């Protein structure tokens, strides 16, 4: 298996210049991101997500450990050639127009003039800013800046996209548009690494996730595995009182919803036993579904366990 | 330099020009220079007869009988002196923000994420900044030199050489701005330190007189070290004046020692920049 990103025991300690106080922002992160996947990096504020991304991009220097991008030492300038990056809280120079900004950053990425001239209108159209290319960035809204920022990251057709809060400040339609663009890139085999606190977005979009807490990887895996297999939900219209009490004792949770009684069972066996008891008394079963945790549940559980 | 590397340098230089245009720095200098050039073209009238000025007319006042060579050199000298003093202060003040602007959070991360070495980013920006000021100085000097040449027939090259020295000293002072920018990320601190060096320069240039006034050998040594270590803005200005007036130039020491200072300070700036976390 080949990896787009690999880190091994990555540590970043920040030392205060005056007091000498140390902060371990990243504390021994070992992580592998498969090529072609969509990867979400999650964590509470101050967990070390942005520092981790900065280490990948050599904006910050690791105190210990190593990071590679497509097998190349992340500290080398050439390792950054396949990367398209959209930082959080970016400040694009406001004296540039959308077009000149794309041109400038693409030139830094090594694209020649002819390729830039072809690609700029294409990408402006893709992100829905075709009519805004000659307008100064100072006049753009936050959502538009985010979209032109994404275009900037895509200019040189990167094979690894690192996005820090890509939908921050973008309205729902813009968010959908960004998701569609990213899905199209995923189809083309581009590895997408998203650093976000919007768990719903990550759950919708990412295949793999890692949750970082206090600079360490607290949990890592496939989204479908992490959110699956929590139990079974049984919805019944009417249950005789005695049987209800019995089922309440067996269930992990009970709720009254839309006129139905919902029992939550921890295992398939318990759910089947409940079905047998209900059917023996001719009770009408409304629904039986397998329940999953949301990524938010997983995230909260993971962070709380580590507190 | 490879094509890719050249492309990056050109992009960084052009970006500096764009920022200078947006901050009105370039246009302010260009406007002042153009006003001075127009002044010499339209306001000053000179009649030359057989190598001497028959009349020179300025705002309606007419004077007669001066040596044309002497007059042209004096005007050239006055402009060069202005550029070396007030012009240099203005240039440093106006362009000091161009370097620290690069280190703004949200901007620097994006630059560093590109496949470009850190030193390349800083050098590209430095070259761009020097070229913004150089374009204006060369424009002013060359235009004034041409106007006087046409009006008087005197084409002394000294004035043109002085513009090279003016740009050179600006480039040296800009290395201080780069270092301070990297260390403190503040245009104000960078400007203050560069101004401090400029103000110290004429004082340190009087070292032979000062040495006689100082009582201890230790303080004399401190002064000598400061004189040789810091860029010699005043002394290079004197060399420029000599070039303009056609006088002997004296030694090259002020030039090479200032260049050495610039190289050391710029290298220190590049080294610190390469080690910093953003």
């Amino acid at each position: 298996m080949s990896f787009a990103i690999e880190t091994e025991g990555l540590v970043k300690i920040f030392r205060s210049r005056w007091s000498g106080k140390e902060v371990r922002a990243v504390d021994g992160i070992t992580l592998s991101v498969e090529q072609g996947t969509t990867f979400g990096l999650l964590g509470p504020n101050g967990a070390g997500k942005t520092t981790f991304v900065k280490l990948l991009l050599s904006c910050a220097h690791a105190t210990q450990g190593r990071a590679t991008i497509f097998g190349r030492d992340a500290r080398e300038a050439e390792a950054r050639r396949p990367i398209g990056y959209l930082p959080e809280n970016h400040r694009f120079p406001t004296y540039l127009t959308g077009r000149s900004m794309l041109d400038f950053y693409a030139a830094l990425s090594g694209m020649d003039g002819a390729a830039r001239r072809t690609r700029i209108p294409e990408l402006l159209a893709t992100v829905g800013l075709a009519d805004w290319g000659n307008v100064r960035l100072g006049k753009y809204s936050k959502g538009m800046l985010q979209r032109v920022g994404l275009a900037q990251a895509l200019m040189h057709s990167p094979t690894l996209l690192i996005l820090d809060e890509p939908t921050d400040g973008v309205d729902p339609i813009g968010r959908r548009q960004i998701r569609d663009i990213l899905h199209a890139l995923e189809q083309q085999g581009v590895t997408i690494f998203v650093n976000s606190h919007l768990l719903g977005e990550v759950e919708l979009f990412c295949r793999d996730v890692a949750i970082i807490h206090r600079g360490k990887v607290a949990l890592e895996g496939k989204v479908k595995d992490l959110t699956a297999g929590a139990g079974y939900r049984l919805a019944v219209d009417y249950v005789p009182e005695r049987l209800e009490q019995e089922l309440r004792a067996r269930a992990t949770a009970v709720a009254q919803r839309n006129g139905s009684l919902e029992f939550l069972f921890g295992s398939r066996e318990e759910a089947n036993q409940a079905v047998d008891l209900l059917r023996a008394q001719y009770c009408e079963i409304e629904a039986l579904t397998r329940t999953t945790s949301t990524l938010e549940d997983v995230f909260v559980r993971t962070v709380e366990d580590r507190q | 330099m490879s094509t890719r590397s050249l492309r990056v340098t050109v992009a960084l230089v052009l970006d500096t020009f764009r920022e200078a245009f947006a901050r009105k720095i370039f246009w302010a200098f260009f406007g002042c220079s153009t006003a001075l050039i127009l002044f010499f073209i339209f306001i000053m009238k000179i009649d030359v007869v057989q190598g001497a000025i028959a009349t020179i007319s300025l705002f309606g006042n007419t004077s007669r009988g001066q040596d044309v060579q002497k007059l042209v050199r004096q005007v050239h000298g006055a402009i060069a002196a202005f550029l070396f003093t007030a012009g240099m202060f203005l240039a440093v003040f106006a362009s000091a923000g161009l370097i620290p602007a690069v280190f703004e959070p949200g901007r620097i991360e994006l630059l560093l994420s590109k496949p470009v070495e850190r030193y390349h980013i800083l050098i590209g920006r430095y070259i761009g900044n020097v070229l913004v000021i150089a374009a204006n100085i060369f424009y002013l000097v060359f235009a004034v030199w041409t106007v006087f040449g046409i009006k008087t027939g005197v084409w002394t090259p000294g004035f043109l050489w002085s513009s090279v020295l003016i740009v050179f000293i600006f480039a040296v002072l800009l290395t201080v701005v780069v270092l301070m920018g990297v260390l403190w990320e503040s245009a104000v601190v960078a400007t203050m330190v560069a101004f401090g060096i400029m103000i110290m320069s004429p004082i340190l240039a009087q070292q032979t007189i000062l040495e006689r006034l100082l009582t201890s050998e230790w303080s004399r040594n401190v002064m000598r070290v400061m004189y040789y270590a810091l860029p010699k803005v005043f002394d290079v200005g004197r060399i420029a004046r000599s070039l303009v007036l056609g006088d002997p130039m004296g030694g090259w020491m002020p030039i090479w020692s200032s260049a050495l200072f610039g190289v050391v300070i710029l290298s220190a700036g590049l080294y610190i920049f390469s080690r910093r976390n953003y």
Side-chain angles (χ1 to χ4, degrees):
Chain A
M1 191 180 291
S2 46
F3 297 102
I5 299 170
E6 270 185 293
T7 66
E8 208 178 292
L10 209 57
V11 175
K12 179 63 195 175
I13 301 170
F14 288 108
R15 285 187 185 87
S16 164
R17 202 184 283 183
W18 307 113
S19 65
K21 202 176 154 190
E22 287 186 354
V23 177
R24 291 178 85 88
V26 171
D27 194 2
I29 291 183
T30 299
L31 201 69
S32 300
V33 177
E34 280 175 40
Q35 274 188 38
T37 193
T38 44
F39 192 98
L41 188 68
L42 306 172
N45 293 336
K49 305 185 299 285
T50 299
T51 305
F52 179 73
V53 168
K54 285 183 176 182
L55 292 175
L56 295 179
L57 297 165
S58 273
C59 293
H61 304 292
T63 312
Q64 270 174 47
R66 57 186 277 276
T68 57
I69 308 290
F70 294 110
R72 199 162 194 158
D73 191 329
R75 289 171 299 181
E76 293 173 27
E78 275 305 306
R80 297 191 288 276
R81 195 166 297 284
I83 300 178
Y85 173 55
L86 174 65
E88 187 191 13
N89 301 325
H90 47 69
R91 281 179 71 177
F92 299 121
T94 49
Y95 53 85
L96 296 176
T97 62
R99 190 177 288 275
S100 57
M101 186 272 265
L102 293 180
D103 187 69
F104 171 58
Y105 288 111
L108 294 189
S109 297
M111 282 180 84
D112 64 50
R116 295 195 311 257
R117 278 190 294 278
T118 317
R119 188 94 169 118
I120 288 169
E122 274 174 26
L123 273 174
L124 282 172
T126 307
V127 297
L129 295 171
D131 299 332
W132 288 79
N134 295 322
V135 177
R136 283 201 178 189
L137 296 175
K139 303 235 183 277
Y140 281 37
S141 68
K142 195 170 179 208
M144 288 162 77
L145 284 172
Q146 204 67 8
R147 282 188 279 157
V148 81
L150 180 64
Q152 168 278 135
L154 299 176
M155 269 298 286
H156 58 296
S157 307
T159 47
L160 169 62
L161 205 52
I162 298 180
L163 308 171
D164 212 342
E165 305 291 359
T167 53
D168 194 24
V170 183
D171 60 40
I173 296 166
R175 238 182 255 183
R176 180 86 172 259
Q177 207 175 12
I178 289 177
R179 247 195 334 258
D180 290 345
I181 295 168
L182 296 183
H183 274 304
L185 290 166
E186 187 195 357
Q187 301 299 315
Q188 293 163 30
V190 174
T191 310
I192 302 171
F193 184 98
V194 182
N195 181 4
S196 177
H197 68 272
L198 297 173
L199 300 167
E201 290 280 319
V202 172
E203 190 171 352
L204 266 174
F205 178 69
C206 294
R207 231 181 293 160
D208 300 294
V209 289
I211 297 173
I212 292 188
H213 187 52
R214 291 183 181 153
K216 294 177 195 285
V217 176
L219 188 73
E220 151 181 34
K222 301 233 170 273
V223 174
K224 68 172 168 39
D225 294 342
L226 295 175
T227 57
Y232 295 82
R233 181 178 287 120
L234 182 63
V236 194
D237 267 350
Y238 168 77
V239 186
E241 203 177 327
R242 269 185 62 191
L243 181 58
E244 184 185 329
Q245 279 172 5
E246 194 181 339
L247 292 176
R248 273 181 187 274
R250 291 170 181 235
T252 53
V254 183
Q256 190 85 41
R257 201 166 285 154
N258 301 328
S260 295
L261 205 55
E262 286 187 4
F263 298 93
L264 196 69
F265 298 101
S267 69
R268 189 169 61 186
E269 192 186 355
E270 284 172 336
N272 278 312
Q273 283 171 1
V275 170
D276 291 344
L277 287 170
L278 286 162
R279 289 305 301 144
Q281 298 209 16
Y282 304 104
C283 296
E284 296 282 330
I285 290 170
E286 187 69 25
L288 176 60
T289 51
R290 193 174 175 195
T291 61
T292 58
S293 307
T294 61
L295 197 54
E296 188 174 317
D297 297 334
V298 176
F299 179 84
V300 170
R301 263 201 315 268
T302 308
V303 172
E304 281 177 354
D305 286 352
R306 299 264 167 168
Q307 295 284 6
Chain B
M1 191 185 266
S2 70
T3 315
R4 197 175 268 172
S5 184
L6 184 67
R7 191 178 297 142
V8 169
T9 309
V10 170
L12 289 164
V13 168
L14 287 178
D15 184 54
T16 316
F17 266 84
R18 278 197 205 106
E19 189 159 359
F21 289 159
R23 287 174 182 232
K24 315 282 188 293
I25 295 165
F26 188 92
W27 299 119
F29 276 101
F30 186 77
C32 291
S33 303
T34 306
L36 193 65
I37 293 160
L38 292 174
F39 168 81
F40 286 123
I41 292 174
F42 295 111
I43 309 294
M44 198 174 68
K45 291 188 168 53
I46 303 170
D47 295 323
V48 180
V49 177
Q50 291 180 339
I53 291 172
T55 61
I56 177 167
S57 169
L58 194 63
F59 297 119
N61 298 321
T62 306
S63 65
R64 295 170 184 280
Q66 283 193 43
D67 177 14
V68 67
Q69 282 270 351
K70 197 175 160 192
L71 177 89
V72 171
R73 285 179 189 276
Q74 277 172 348
V75 174
H76 284 173
I79 294 170
F82 174 79
L83 290 174
F84 247 95
T85 50
M88 195 64 69
F89 273 103
L90 281 173
V92 170
F93 178 75
S95 58
L98 290 175
I99 301 282
V102 172
F103 309 120
E104 283 175 5
R107 184 168 173 184
I108 184 70
E109 292 91 340
L110 198 51
L111 285 171
L112 296 179
S113 75
K114 301 297 171 192
V116 182
E117 296 288 354
R118 285 192 179 195
Y119 73 85
H120 200 158
I121 294 171
L122 205 52
I123 285 184
R125 193 73 179 174
Y126 172 79
I127 293 171
N129 204 337
V130 170
L131 289 179
V132 166
I133 297 302
N136 273 294
I137 288 172
F138 290 146
Y139 164 65
L140 172 64
V141 170
F142 187 75
V144 169
W145 181 76
T146 308
V147 170
F148 271 84
I150 292 167
K151 286 196 173 188
T152 64
V154 176
W155 298 95
T156 53
F159 187 44
L160 294 180
W161 283 113
S162 75
S163 66
V164 176
L165 287 180
I166 294 163
V167 173
F168 164 73
I169 275 298
F170 172 75
V172 171
L173 289 171
L174 194 63
T175 62
V176 177
V177 174
V178 169
L179 179 63
M180 291 299 123
V182 170
L183 279 174
W184 301 101
E185 294 172 18
S186 160
V188 177
V189 175
T191 311
M192 282 169 69
V193 175
F195 279 6
I197 289 171
M198 287 166 72
I199 292 165
M200 287 288 286
S201 180
I203 300 167
L204 292 171
Q206 311 305 321
Q207 59 145 339
T208 43
I209 300 166
L210 288 170
E211 272 184 34
R212 273 183 254 139
L213 296 172
L214 294 170
T215 49
S216 72
E217 190 56 29
W218 180 85
S219 50
R220 276 194 286 269
N221 283 337
V222 169
M223 209 201 60
R224 275 184 211 123
V225 168
M226 282 177 75
Y227 173 72
Y228 286 107
L230 292 175
K232 285 140 204 78
V233 182
F234 185 79
D235 292 335
V236 176
R238 262 202 302 229
I239 292 173
R241 188 171 168 273
S242 303
L243 280 172
V244 171
L245 298 177
D247 296 339
M249 206 181 86
W252 288 87
M253 189 278 289
I255 294 173
W256 68 254
S257 63
S258 299
L260 187 64
F261 172 89
V263 169
V264 170
I265 296 297
L266 186 62
S267 304
L270 293 173
Y271 176 74
I272 294 166
F273 183 52
S274 71
R275 308 275 301 167
R276 282 203 70 166
N277 294 306
Y278 290 97

